[in-house]
Structures are given as C-alpha cells and as structure tokens.
Amino acid sequence: MKKTPSGSIRKTKTRNLTLLLIRKEFKSPAEALKDAGLLDEWSLPGDFEFEGSLHVSKPPLKEPRWASFVKEGFPEEIEFSQSATAAAVLFIKADSRMFAVTFGQGRHLLKPDSYEIDFGLKVTLNTVDQRKLRSLDLRTFEELTVHTRRQVSRSSSLEAFNVDVFRDLLGSVTGEPSDESLAKRLTGRDALAFSGAIAFPDLADKCKTLLGHYRSELYKTNFPWVDNVRQIRDASTIDRLNDKLVRAINAHDMERIHLAPPEVIEWNDVSFLYPGEHLGTVEAHIDLDLGDCLAALASREGVEPEDFHLSLETLKQQKIRTVSEDASLLPERWSLYKCLVAELNEEGALCILSAGQWFKVEKTFAAQTLEDTVALVKDIKHLPVALPNQEEGDYNELAAGSRKHLVLLDRKNKKAKGARTAIEACDLFSASGQFIHVKRKLRSSSLSHLFSQGTVAAETFLGDEKFRKDVKKAVAEQNPIIAGRLGDPTKRPDPSRYEVVFAIMTTTPQAKWPQALPFFSQLNLVRKAAHLRLLGFQVALYRIEERK
C-alpha cells in the first residue's frame, strides 16, 4: 500500500516481471546487449534514488506469419493489420550489481553469456515454501534423458511430484514464497519470473532483496539433492572441457571416453558406418568403437591412425550413420560429438559429456554412487569366461551348454497377462534361483537398458501368474529339476529366494572394476537395485571376464 499526495491509500498493483542478474564482467548495458547501437535508449530520470536505463527495439511492421496461409482461402476478402512485437530491456543498478528486467522479446536483445546461470532457480529454491510448490521441470537419466514438466492443480509439497532425488535434474521450479511480502509466486531458472505487488520506484530495493536470496545457500538444507548433477551451461567452462576432450582423444588417452548411440535403438537390428564409409565397400560395424572410428577417419585422410589429429569442428560435423538388418541405410544419423560419452576431471569435479551436453557431478555424490555400486559386486564362479568379441547370444548358449545348473532363456520372450509386447525373463536361469541378465561392453546406453530390462522382468515375475507359468514351462522343457526352483506359479513367489544378477562381459581388469562403469550407468544400477531390494529380491553385479 502507498499513500497518495492527498493522504489516501493507494493499492500497489500486481505485476508480472522477468528479471535476470547480469554477470560482473559486464560493466555497462552496452556490453551486455547484442547490438546496443540499434536500440533507442532512455536514461532513468534523476528523481529516482537508483540508476537505470531503458533500451527499446523497434522491429518493422509486418503481417502475422499465418496470414499468407489464410489468404490462400480468402485471396481478396480479408486483410490483416500490420503489427510489431516490441522488445525492451530495463537495466537497474542495485547493491553494486546490474539487473535486467526484460519486456516482450527483450531477453533476445541480451548476449547469451551476459547473465548469471541459475539465478532465478537459486532465488526460488531459497525462498519458496516447500509446501506450496506448483510445477517442476525435470530431466531424468535413463536410457534416454527424459524431459518432463510436472504440475499440480494446487500448491503442494515436494512429495506430490514424485521426484527421484538421485536421478532427476531440476531445471526450473514454480512456487509461493514463505515470505508473502516478497512475491505472490516465483518461477526460476536463469531468469526469475516474478508475480507480486510492486511499484516502479521499489524496483531497486526489490532487486537488492533478490540478490541477497541469490547469495544464500538455504536451498542446500531444503533441497540438498539439486546439486547432485547439474547441467553445465557456462560457455567458457564448456569450451574448456571441449578443448580438454579433443586433447585427450588426440593423445589416445581414451580410457574414460567411448562412443554410444545418443538415443535408444534396437541393437539386434542396427549396425553402424563411420564417417567416410559406404555400404558395399566396408562391412557395417555391429558396435561403436572410438578407436575404430578414428582409424576410419585417418584412412580417409590417408594418414596413419597415430598421426591423425581431429578438431572439435570435425567431431561436430562428421556423422555416424545407421544401417538396418537388411543392409539399407536408416534415417538415424548423429554427429561424432553427440555420440561421445566422456568422463573428465575438472578442478576436482567429475564432468560428463552425454548426448552432446556436459554435466557436473557433485564430488561426494559421485563417491557415494561408486561405493553403492561396489557393494553390489559379487563373485559368481559358475559363469564361464567369454571369448574375444563374443556376442551375447553366443555366450549365453556357451554358458548354458557347458554348465548343467544353467538354463537358457535368451530370446524366449513371454507375455504378461494383458501386455502388448513380450519380455525376456532373463538370459540365463540358475538352479540356485538367479535371474542372470548378460550384456557385452561398458556402454552407458546399453547398460541402462539392461538394468531397466532386468527390473521390469523381476516385477512381472512377481506380479503376473501367466508370465510365471510361461517362464516355468520354458525352463521345464530344458531341465525339469531346475524348473522346480520356480515353485507353484499360481502363488505369489517369495522374492527373497531369487537373485537378479547383472553380468557384464568386459576386458576391464579386475582392479578397475566396477570403477570402469560409466557414472550414469552406476547411478541407474544403484537406483534399480534399491527398487528391486525394496520388492524383496537380492541383487548382484558380476564381471564376466572377456579374453583379449
């Protein structure tokens, strides 16, 4: 409320404003704007107690973009008035920092690197009432990185959003502040969308208050998980990591760098061509290998692999293509850069490149995830050693054929009642009640699929009678004695009698196991194992030695 000159009370209007905090390196509005000289500028009048300036863009008048389509049906009967989309930025100086209040398309007038990353998110997390959240934007790490927006019809606590604090990366959040005088509602990521009562003369004071909340670390108490994994969006940091990545590849230091499809594919139906390779002249590759890819690039350039040096531009321009089972090219094609999975240490932190984006993993979170992964490792002596480059199907047949206590269930898919698709109970079932799922190579995308597949199979076995009957029948056809281990399929089984085993074929030495697993694979394994244990199953991780 404000008093007018006559002494009456005037209610302050509710405004919807978008604010950004300009980085310290940008000392003036001209430095933060893309094309300051093309904008109209007005300085804030001197009767205000703070400094500021308004910068306005005047785009030319034009018809709406959809007008040409409509005119195809009404060539002479209808006209549209021309309009312009206004854009403006108001710069405010407050407590030695510069803020930008954007209007219309005003944010696009700023240089992309001119404002602080996650300013709005930190302010919102530090001020929001945990019981009054309205929406969350999340990114979940599975076989694919899944983006979701979760909203509720009324303000609710975090529990209502079903957040997995170990796998969900928070993008933005909307909620009501605990202090009602701050705002009615806040939405934050880089920008802060502010909705509340405010008058123009109060802008600088409000910015000072928001700056104090940005500097606070209260969010680490209320939302400690948000720093577990954060996307790196600072351009200078990304440039530094990309440079480090290229230097590591050119130095053939690729122990923590490999290639993987950046999206889910059907591995049995797809093979790959490296840049410069053509159908008919080479045999398509059944798996992606960074060393082989670099050799193909070197061959195309007419140099030896050890003499070939690539650039970031090469990584982003050169494409990997996919080939179908019938040897025809598929539409899927990705840049080498997008296929790279890399784990680099940068200033004591673990930084991960996945599907073309860099992420930073909080140090203690990474250590705890590895500790939980190590706890799952088990020595299973009854599984044979794998032959060099042996395919999963061949290995499964070898294991079942050479071990009397193992039954082959690979590719013997069964449907649950009412299900549209059949699923695989496991690759191998043992006389001791182990559902063994086998995967070759340490690829984050394929391993995530393995962990999900094993979890779904266990859930279905526990909850679906038809599935249990079909699985037991498939086992009994090979070994009636082992089939007895599955009990009466008409009754819900005791999950504690069974163990879900994730067995990975790898040439990685025992001393580097399971540290060699990509971080996101470790993370997915730990979460799936926790879920399976909650259901009552035992869970184990096993390294199948692959001869070199």
Side-chain angles (χ1 to χ4, degrees), residues 127-340:
T127 59
V128 73
D129 188 330
Q130 295 181 75
R131 301 163 299 175
K132 296 182 179 180
L133 300 173
R134 293 301 298 268
S135 75
L136 301 176
D137 283 4
L138 298 165
R139 172 181 296 183
T140 302
F141 294 102
E142 280 286 357
E143 309 97 68
L144 283 180
T145 302
V146 180
H147 300 258
T148 58
R149 171 166 292 174
R150 301 177 191 175
Q151 299 181 153
V152 291
S153 57
R154 57 188 174 85
S155 298
S156 304
S157 65
L158 186 65
E159 287 73 21
F161 294 86
N162 195 29
V163 175
D164 186 330
V165 298
F166 293 94
R167 294 187 299 117
D168 287 342
L169 183 153
L170 185 62
S172 69
V173 60
T174 298
E176 300 173 33
S178 301
D179 180 0
E180 295 181 0
S181 68
L182 179 65
K184 288 185 176 180
R185 186 178 64 252
L186 296 173
T187 297
R189 196 186 185 193
D190 294 341
L192 178 71
F194 167 95
S195 178
I198 189 170
F200 193 96
D202 301 326
L203 271 174
D205 287 339
K206 183 66 70 174
C207 287
K208 289 178 183 179
T209 300
L210 295 175
L211 184 61
H213 289 304
Y214 171 68
R215 290 169 172 165
S216 169
E217 293 192 345
L218 180 63
Y219 77 94
K220 293 185 177 181
T221 300
N222 298 332
F223 303 91
W225 52 276
V226 301
D227 285 333
N228 285 346
V229 182
R230 298 297 300 156
Q231 184 182 352
I232 299 172
R233 293 184 292 119
D234 177 69
S236 61
T237 303
I238 292 173
D239 288 343
R240 193 164 60 249
L241 286 167
N242 283 335
D243 180 64
K244 195 170 185 177
L245 172 71
V246 171
R247 284 190 282 110
I249 294 174
N250 286 333
H252 302 282
D253 180 14
M254 298 182 290
E255 185 177 350
R256 305 292 290 179
I257 307 172
H258 66 262
L259 291 175
E263 56 190 73
V264 174
I265 62 171
E266 290 296 331
W267 283 93
N268 294 332
D269 302 331
V270 173
S271 52
F272 309 94
L273 290 176
Y274 297 130
E277 295 184 335
H278 302 281
L279 279 176
T281 60
V282 298
E283 185 175 348
H285 309 273
I286 60 172
D287 199 359
L288 290 175
D289 183 272
L290 182 54
D292 291 345
C293 181
L294 295 177
L297 286 168
S299 176
R300 188 181 66 174
E301 298 298 322
V303 298
E304 294 298 320
E306 57 269 22
D307 297 326
F308 176 72
H309 285 75
L310 50 72
S311 63
L312 181 63
E313 183 180 20
T314 299
L315 287 175
K316 291 188 174 183
Q317 288 183 349
Q318 298 301 314
K319 308 292 184 184
I320 287 176
R321 292 173 297 167
T322 54
V323 180
S324 68
E325 192 175 17
D326 63 0
S328 60
L329 282 174
L330 294 169
E332 289 82 4
R333 51 189 293 165
W334 316 288
S335 70
L336 287 180
Y337 185 77
K338 198 167 185 179
C339 291
L340 281 171

